[in-house]
Amino acid sequence: MTTANDTPSRRAIASWCLYDWANSSYNTIVTTFIFSVYFARGVVGDEVAGASRWSAALTVAGLLIALLSPVLGAVADRTGRRKPWMALFTSLTVVFCAALWWVKPDPSHALFALVCVVIGTVAFELANVFYNASLTALAPPRMLGRISGWGWGIGYFGGLACLVVALFVFVKSPAPLFGLLDTAEQAPVRATALLAAAWYGLFAIPFFLFVPDVPATGLGIRQAAREGMATLRRTLAETRKYRNTLRFLIASAIYRDGINTITAFGGIFAAHAFGMSFEEILLFAIALNVVAGVGAIGFAWVDDRMGAKPTILVSLIGLTAFGVPLLLATEKAWFWVLALGLGAFFGPAQAAGRSMMARLAPPGMVGE
């Protein structure tokens, strides 16, 4: 899958980046801009109480992700291949995302919605563990920053495209889905979950067809699990050997949690603080994705030329410079300006973090 000059094939690069385009639908539609707002407003019927329950569900998901990711990563490092794990968790995300269609605007549906969101979010993030780890099998070190940035930028544009379809075919259309959806019981809004699931499943297919995988080691799951757990325990006991990696993991956990909090509650915050309708939130989301995508792609070359660490530091300065005034904004116009400025640094911080982790990870421990 690579050429003589150690450059991956364009088809493999495009297919790898397309997975970012695919999975952005879940983040954009479910966790950030549409379903989170629908859950608080329509299902719970109280934005404050709904946001609190949504937060609790994402906290549970975050704890499960923190516990499972290193364990499964260590097991995958022993078995070699990562695509079967990605296929499993991608499928789970798609199924539980689609299940949100059955969440009607009634408080009795809140628990079912949160269960689906917890399982879908855990599966989504676990799929990303193996997706991010697959970068080292695809790209030579000199291209890690570029390809990671391209993927993240294309992901934002994927979210943008999905939002445009959601806005004009489902939410804002006078005849949602060409007249097939009744506006009763918020069917057009609920149907966006089906759109996100189909989007994710369809556009993920090229990754499994054209991106190279790590060769299988021949170990069975049971043996790989035993060896993986032993490796993980040894890693934790010998953290001194991986000081730089450990420092980065702690630092990135802090700044990525900040970014994840903003993205997870951005839609709910906009709806509650500024009274935005679903249509306004979607337009805001479209603009934010354009800015974020341009930022991620624009910084992709900076990563390879200057390094991932300077790229992350510049991004964090930008996030702080726009984020602090955003908390104090009381007018909708200023909220738009500051939020779009903030969005320009989302992608670079996350994409450079992915490439830096790929560079720091010891050989044979990328998944872990």
Side-chain angles (χ1 to χ4, degrees):
M1 296 299 295
T2 58
T3 62
N5 63 353
D6 198 31
T7 300
S9 74
R10 291 181 179 179
R11 184 173 67 176
I13 293 174
S15 299
W16 189 87
C17 292
L18 199 61
Y19 189 86
D20 252 319
W21 170 285
N23 70 13
S24 64
S25 62
Y26 182 83
N27 257 343
T28 306
I29 297 293
V30 176
T31 60
T32 305
F33 292 113
I34 297 184
F35 200 84
S36 60
V37 177
Y38 166 67
F39 175 81
R41 277 185 177 175
V43 180
V44 177
D46 182 315
E47 291 182 355
V48 175
S52 177
R53 296 175 72 175
W54 189 262
S55 174
L58 293 184
T59 300
V60 172
L63 291 172
L64 291 172
I65 293 160
L67 291 171
L68 294 173
S69 293
V71 174
L72 292 175
V75 173
D77 285 335
R78 303 304 299 165
T79 59
R81 297 183 65 201
R82 298 190 178 105
K83 282 187 179 180
W85 296 95
M86 280 190 64
L88 169 64
F89 293 120
T90 298
S91 299
L92 283 173
T93 308
V94 168
V95 168
F96 282 93
C97 179
L100 293 173
W101 157 255
W102 283 280
V103 177
K104 294 183 179 180
D106 187 300
S108 64
H109 289 249
L111 179 60
F112 175 73
L114 293 177
V115 169
C116 289
V117 168
V118 168
I119 297 175
T121 300
V122 171
F124 174 86
E125 293 295 347
L126 292 178
N128 271 329
V129 168
F130 302 106
Y131 172 60
N132 292 339
S134 69
L135 179 61
T136 56
L138 173 72
R142 63 185 175 82
M143 296 183 66
L144 284 173
R146 265 171 290 176
I147 295 179
S148 180
W150 292 344
W152 220 285
I154 288 172
Y156 280 117
F157 286 114
L160 163 66
C162 192
L163 282 168
V164 169
V165 175
L167 178 61
F168 292 106
V169 178
F170 293 89
V171 177
K172 202 171 183 179
S173 172
L177 198 61
F178 314 108
L180 296 177
L181 292 175
D182 188 352
T183 55
E185 296 187 319
Q186 298 280 1
V189 175
R190 290 159 44 215
T192 60
L194 297 178
L195 169 66
W199 190 281
Y200 192 174
L202 177 64
F203 289 111
I205 292 173
F207 177 93
F208 297 102
L209 296 178
F210 303 121
V211 175
D213 200 356
V214 177
T217 62
L219 290 180
I221 293 294
R222 288 186 179 181
Q223 184 180 354
R226 286 195 297 271
E227 293 187 11
M229 289 301 295
T231 300
L232 183 59
R233 286 193 294 269
R234 187 164 59 250
T235 301
L236 293 173
E238 300 175 352
T239 51
R240 293 180 182 178
K241 293 182 178 180
Y242 313 106
R243 285 182 178 177
N244 285 338
T245 305
L246 182 62
R247 287 170 184 160
F248 175 69
L249 285 172
I250 294 171
S252 67
I254 295 170
Y255 80 72
R256 284 188 298 176
D257 275 351
I259 293 173
N260 289 341
T261 300
I262 294 169
T263 56
F265 294 96
I268 293 175
F269 177 75
H272 180 68
F274 297 98
M276 288 190 181
S277 64
F278 274 117
E279 291 85 352
E280 286 181 296
I281 291 170
L282 280 174
L283 290 172
F284 168 68
I286 289 169
L288 188 63
N289 274 264
V290 170
V291 172
V294 171
I297 294 173
F299 272 85
W301 283 272
V302 176
D303 186 336
D304 282 333
R305 292 190 178 185
M306 295 179 58
K309 184 177 177 180
T311 304
I312 293 171
L313 291 175
V314 170
S315 300
L316 294 181
I317 292 170
L319 288 168
T320 304
F322 284 98
V324 173
L326 180 62
L327 293 174
L328 306 175
T330 56
E331 297 181 10
K332 189 182 294 186
W334 275 112
F335 171 77
W336 272 77
V337 171
L338 294 168
L340 293 181
L342 188 74
F345 295 98
F346 281 164
Q350 294 169 306
R354 176 164 62 187
S355 68
M356 188 165 181
M357 192 68 252
R359 292 182 175 102
L360 286 175
M365 298 174 65
V366 176
E368 182 184 346

